Amino acid sequence: MEEVIVPIYATGVCAQVQKQRDKDLGLGKHEKSLKFLGQDYNKIRSECLQRGTLFKDDLFPAAASSLGFKDLGPNSSKTYGIKWLRPTEMQSNPQFIVDGATRTDICQGALGDCWLLAAIASLTLNDTILHRVVPHGQSFQDDYAGCFHFQLWQFGEWVDVIVDDLLPVKDGKLVFVHSAAGNEFWSALLEKAYAKANGSYEALSGGSTSEGFEDFTGGVTEWYELRKPPSDLHQIILKGLERGSLMGCSIDITSANDMEAVTFKKLVKGHAYSVTGAGQVNYRGQTVNLIRMRNPWGEVEWTGSWSDCSQEWNGVDPSKREELMIKMEDGEFWMSFQDFLREFSRLEICNLTPDALKARKYRKWNTTLYDGVWRRGSTAGGCRNFPATFWINPQFKIQLNEEDDDDEDYGSEKGCTCLVALMQKDRRRERRVGGDMETIGFALYEVPPECKNQPVVHLKRDFFLTNSSRARSEQFINLREVSTRMKLPRGEYILVPSTFEPNKEADFVVRVFSENKHGTVVMDDEIKADLPEEIIPSVDEIDESFKSLFKQLCGSDEEMTVKELQTVLNKIVCKHKDLRTDGFCLESCRSMVNLMDKDGNGTLGLLEFNVLWTKIKSYLTLFRKFDVDKSGSMSAYEMRMAVESAGFKLNNSLHQLIITRYAEPDLAINFDSFVCCLIRLEMMFRFFQGMDTDKDGMVTFDLCKWLSIMMFT
């Protein structure tokens, strides 16, 4: 049976359901990478070869929109004169890779993506990792069709990104990344694929090398502040290089004027460097630790001690000097480890597994990944500084079952080591519309005794007001990912990821790594409704004055139409000056009639209207009770509490749907929307409970019944 793969940027409920099914089938793993935007490389290439044409990518066209939106936007002077050419139009003998991929293949162009190029340069140190990203068998000679593909890790999934080979050129030279060998193009095409995945070339400007590291490996990054380095950092670096970890470093800037400023000894501030090697030499009877760096510019090198032509090399054994210098590339240089600590600010190490680089052995790590969302009014509660809303953030329970295996490198402290990594998704794509990275972080809390061993628990506001966190991210920061390694006693913990401020929207993934077995589940309320038995009075039980009023309102047929219901409700609601409402719209009244109409004639009889009227009166009481600030409307948080008080337990995604469906732009829910929401909830629960005859939580519909429900509820 042929698999149908939904493009990863498809939206809507159906697409989300299909995406989960794809995950269950293993799609998104490297060996079953997803087809980015639905494009199939083999199919496209085969069709082009059959037609004798070269591929042109309509989804990332050779046009100004692919370059950028501001500094590289359509009317920018920086894009004036740019043409899009294929390598076959620039060179008589273009090559995909010449003599293997090396660091000289990555020279920075006019784009401020040194962070990405530092990551690409590090890729060339490990052929296995490189060719997971850059698949074998691509060339400008054998079955050339003008299309190339690369595999990137994107927020928990591997995606196969296809590009055509039309590259931006100005004055006969590639505008962006290029190889020192003028006829080599793999790095330029990889940069284009990365730009496509992020929406444009300009979206790549500025960033952290760890982003590129993780997108090329699926690994996890840890940061070291070099002002307070661990005492064995040089050993950590050596071990990381042995294990294939990717490393980058940078020098902090103190003002915008410092960006890419060159120091006296030719180091560049605010610039991303790759760490490409480390070693030791004997110099004047002492052991000196060295580290090898690379500037993505392919030039501008450190001129201090142990630089290419410094006198220190004269005091080193010639064979050792030859061993260390022979591996050097343009833009690469050695410096002493002490100078490195003094000159640089931060080191990023992306481990292919979460093994602590202090450990003497590889460990088998258990990994769990969950997708989540922060949405205004429903799940974007902000950090602990905002106690009124912090509790509505998504919650995940982590159960640490086993202490670490004995390992002297971890010291004598007993406990369970885990690493939590929180990553916000697709933020570079938001730059086109003014968005960027949110400030994110997380906190862990011990599960209270009364909630332990429960499969589902969503901690409420009162818990967080009276309990402090057991661990947390080191800081809230506007990076794509924050990660923290911690050692905790065995037990159950609640992880609460959040943005710093409430109502900041973003999608995220959270990864939890632990050495030994752990359990991680999304903590969310169980969906259920505690509804009273529905009692429909007889005609004799209805007050005579109500009967008389009903006849006046709906005429001789004694059936209330949708329009008549709208008139009645709006006359009544306008008398309540404390309620914020735009009035009941015709569509809302039609929904109420459809939901209450037992005999299916499209109108409400006396008994049906009486039940509806009783509900509306009870909802008015509830509305006033939870409108704490007396604004005449429900805030998103008041709404959540009111819905629960009405007897409905909903999970985060359903609360999110309520806000999306019923809230005004300021997230307020008017009285009319409040009534419509609760009536719809009650009727849908009652309908499901009536259909679920065996009480197993499952109901089967044929197509006709499904369409009937969706059309008239």
Side-chain angles (χ1 to χ4, degrees):
M1 182 176 177
E2 183 179 356
E3 294 173 342
V4 179
I5 299 175
V6 176
I8 67 169
Y9 290 108
T11 59
V13 175
C14 292
Q16 295 304 313
V17 171
Q18 182 64 49
K19 186 173 181 178
Q20 185 57 51
R21 288 178 177 173
D22 289 345
K23 278 189 175 181
D24 293 342
L25 292 171
L27 294 173
K29 295 182 179 178
H30 190 269
E31 61 274 13
K32 282 190 175 183
S33 57
L34 294 168
K35 297 173 176 62
F36 186 74
L37 300 181
Q39 292 176 304
D40 186 312
Y41 172 72
N42 290 324
K43 182 178 178 181
I44 288 172
R45 185 164 172 263
S46 177
E47 288 176 351
C48 288
L49 290 172
Q50 286 177 6
R51 292 196 302 262
T53 59
L54 296 178
F55 175 55
K56 282 191 175 182
D57 188 3
D58 293 334
L59 299 183
F60 195 65
S65 60
S66 297
L67 291 174
F69 44 86
K70 187 180 177 182
D71 292 342
L72 294 177
N75 299 317
S76 168
S77 60
K78 293 183 179 180
T79 62
Y80 181 76
I82 287 181
K83 299 178 181 179
W84 295 80
L85 298 176
R86 298 185 190 271
T88 51
E89 298 174 291
M90 290 183 270
Q91 294 283 336
S92 59
N93 184 32
Q95 299 292 317
F96 187 64
I97 294 180
V98 177
D99 297 329
T102 64
R103 276 97 72 198
T104 57
D105 300 348
I106 304 103
C107 299
Q108 190 173 355
L111 189 61
D113 62 347
C114 57
W115 62 273
L116 174 62
L117 307 190
I120 297 175
S122 293
L123 267 184
T124 65
L125 300 174
N126 187 316
D127 280 347
T128 301
I129 299 173
L130 173 71
H131 288 295
R132 287 178 67 179
V133 177
V134 186
H136 283 291
Q138 304 189 80
S139 79
F140 292 96
Q141 285 74 38
D142 299 331
D143 292 329
Y144 167 65
C147 62
F148 293 84
H149 69 131
F150 302 88
Q151 296 196 335
L152 305 174
W153 185 89
Q154 294 284 277
F155 316 112
E157 298 173 327
W158 284 92
V159 295
D160 194 66
V161 184
I162 301 167
V163 292
D164 61 32
D165 61 346
L166 287 157
L167 296 170
V169 175
K170 190 172 184 178
D171 299 328
K173 297 180 179 179
L174 289 173
V175 176
F176 303 128
V177 71
H178 54 279
S179 172
N183 66 334
E184 185 175 35
F185 293 95
W186 74 270
S187 57
L189 291 167
L190 173 55
E191 182 188 44
K192 182 174 184 178
Y194 205 83
K196 179 178 178 178
N198 287 281
S200 68
Y201 277 95
E202 188 172 356
L204 305 184
S205 183
S208 166
T209 307
S210 61
E211 282 189 58
F213 287 162
E214 294 189 344
D215 288 347
F216 296 147
T217 65
V220 59
T221 300
E222 295 183 88
W223 298 61
Y224 294 88
E225 295 295 335
L226 299 181
R227 286 182 291 274
K228 298 178 180 178
S231 58
D232 56 348
L233 183 58
H234 190 260
Q235 286 300 116
I236 289 174
I237 292 171
L238 282 170
K239 187 164 288 186
L241 291 168
E242 290 171 5
R243 292 183 175 182
S245 300
L246 307 185
M247 303 187 195
C249 57
S250 59
I251 303 172
D252 285 347
I253 60 173
T254 55
S255 70
N257 294 331
D258 272 353
M259 180 57 74
E260 295 198 339
V262 180
T263 68
F264 174 68
K265 293 185 178 179
K266 297 298 178 72
L267 294 176
V268 186
K269 293 184 178 181
H271 188 57
Y273 287 79
S274 309
V275 176
T276 62
Q280 293 180 327
V281 294
N282 188 292
Y283 178 69
R284 295 181 177 176
Q286 293 187 327
T287 298
V288 178
N289 293 326
L290 300 178
I291 187 166
R292 190 176 70 202
M293 324 283 294
R294 184 175 188 275
N295 182 346
W297 288 349
E299 54 187 6
V300 186
E301 298 183 12
W302 163 254
T303 58
S305 299
W306 301 100
S307 58
D308 287 5
C309 299
S310 69
Q311 61 181 1
E312 284 81 7
W313 290 108
N314 296 328
V316 175
D317 179 86
S319 62
K320 184 66 174 180
R321 181 174 67 236
E322 180 71 13
E323 175 192 334
L324 294 177
M325 300 298 286
I326 197 171
K327 299 176 182 178
M328 298 284 283
E329 305 279 8
D330 290 342
E332 252 179 337
F333 54 86
W334 289 96
M335 63 191 308
S336 75
F337 191 66
Q338 289 306 311
D339 282 340
F340 167 71
L341 295 178
R342 182 166 51 251
E343 299 288 344
F344 284 85
S345 308
R346 187 174 295 106
L347 173 69
E348 305 164 54
I349 302 182
C350 179
N351 301 316
L352 305 188
T353 74
D355 286 305
L357 293 172
K358 292 184 179 183
R360 293 183 177 177
K361 61 181 180 181
Y362 281 110
R363 297 162 179 261
K364 181 174 175 56
W365 288 82
N366 292 277
T367 306
T368 306
L369 181 146
Y370 280 106
D371 291 288
V373 296
W374 294 300
R375 290 291 179 268
R376 296 174 69 234
S378 57
T379 57
C383 73
R384 181 69 182 267
N385 294 353
F386 302 90
T389 57
F390 178 69
W391 65 276
I392 71 169
N393 284 299
Q395 298 178 19
F396 304 85
K397 185 172 80 170
I398 303 173
Q399 186 162 341
L400 299 175
N401 299 317
E402 301 174 20
E403 292 182 341
D404 297 343
D405 296 334
D406 291 336
D407 189 329
E408 63 186 85
D409 292 299
Y410 277 94
S412 58
E413 180 188 359
K414 289 289 186 181
C416 309
T417 296
C418 70
L419 190 151
V420 176
L422 171 66
M423 179 185 293
Q424 51 189 316
K425 299 170 68 173
D426 297 320
R427 300 307 298 174
R428 289 186 178 275
R429 299 182 69 87
E430 298 295 315
R431 289 184 174 181
R432 188 179 292 275
V433 291
D436 211 332
M437 300 293 179
E438 297 294 349
T439 301
I440 62 171
F442 57 83
L444 265 78
Y445 296 81
E446 287 189 71
V447 173
E450 65 272 18
C451 297
K452 286 185 177 178
N453 300 316
Q454 293 185 18
V456 176
V457 56
H458 188 271
L459 299 177
K460 299 296 192 277
R461 175 181 175 180
D462 288 347
F463 171 84
F464 295 108
L465 289 176
T466 56
N467 290 272
S468 59
S469 61
R470 185 66 175 78
R472 58 189 175 187
S473 55
E474 293 180 7
Q475 57 186 329
F476 275 77
I477 193 168
N478 60 339
L479 290 175
R480 188 177 73 162
E481 183 179 64
V482 295
S483 66
T484 300
R485 184 183 297 269
M486 58 198 79
K487 178 171 277 193
L488 298 167
R490 282 185 299 180
E492 297 179 14
Y493 300 87
I494 295 292
L495 169 67
V496 186
S498 73
T499 56
F500 184 76
E501 295 180 333
N503 291 327
K504 298 294 185 181
E505 293 198 326
D507 295 354
F508 67 86
V509 294
V510 60
R511 291 184 288 169
V512 179
F513 306 88
S514 71
E515 177 192 343
N516 286 312
K517 184 180 179 182
H518 73 270
T520 306
V521 293
V522 179
M523 300 314 297
D524 214 344
D525 286 324
E526 181 183 0
I527 300 173
K528 62 181 181 180
D530 182 16
L531 300 175
E533 183 180 350
E534 193 169 33
I535 300 174
I536 300 178
S538 66
V539 174
D540 294 339
E541 293 175 305
I542 296 177
D543 185 87
E544 289 299 323
S545 62
F546 187 88
K547 293 178 185 177
S548 176
L549 178 63
F550 181 75
K551 289 180 181 179
Q552 293 176 27
L553 294 171
C554 56
S556 59
D557 63 353
E558 297 192 14
E559 290 287 338
M560 183 170 288
T561 66
V562 172
K563 185 65 178 175
E564 289 167 340
L565 178 62
Q566 182 188 30
T567 302
V568 171
L569 293 180
N570 286 338
K571 278 185 178 179
I572 294 170
V573 79
C574 72
K575 295 179 182 179
H576 295 273
K577 303 300 183 183
D578 62 327
L579 301 179
R580 174 178 160 180
T581 178
D582 297 324
F584 289 87
C585 68
L586 199 63
E587 189 60 36
S588 294
C589 293
R590 182 174 288 112
S591 293
M592 280 189 264
V593 170
N594 289 333
L595 291 167
M596 301 301 301
D597 178 20
K598 302 296 184 183
D599 51 17
N601 64 359
T603 59
L604 297 180
L606 173 64
L607 298 180
E608 294 165 336
F609 179 69
N610 180 263
V611 173
L612 175 62
W613 183 244
T614 301
K615 291 183 186 300
I616 291 175
K617 287 195 297 182
S618 68
Y619 295 156
L620 176 60
T621 302
L622 193 67
F623 186 89
R624 284 181 167 146
K625 176 182 177 181
F626 285 96
D627 179 17
V628 179
D629 58 1
K630 306 304 177 186
S631 64
S633 62
M634 287 272 118
S635 73
Y637 317 113
E638 292 168 341
M639 180 68 178
R640 188 162 182 157
M641 292 183 286
V643 166
E644 186 165 329
S645 179
F648 302 104
K649 284 278 191 179
L650 306 179
N651 63 13
N652 280 337
S653 63
L654 288 175
H655 282 297
Q656 181 181 319
L657 286 172
I658 286 174
I659 299 303
T660 302
R661 170 66 177 82
Y662 293 103
E664 300 296 314
D666 63 355
L667 299 183
I669 296 175
N670 295 346
F671 178 68
D672 52 295
S673 295
F674 178 78
V675 170
C676 292
C677 175
L678 291 189
I679 287 178
R680 181 179 291 269
L681 273 174
E682 181 174 343
M683 292 302 101
M684 293 302 291
F685 267 105
R686 290 194 186 279
F687 177 84
F688 187 90
Q689 289 168 356
M691 295 287 291
D692 185 17
T693 54
D694 57 0
K695 307 303 178 187
D696 66 348
M698 301 287 289
V699 175
T700 303
F701 301 111
D702 61 24
L703 180 60
C704 180
K705 188 167 289 186
W706 170 255
L707 291 174
S708 299
I709 295 166
M710 297 306 292
M711 289 291 289
F712 296 105
T713 59

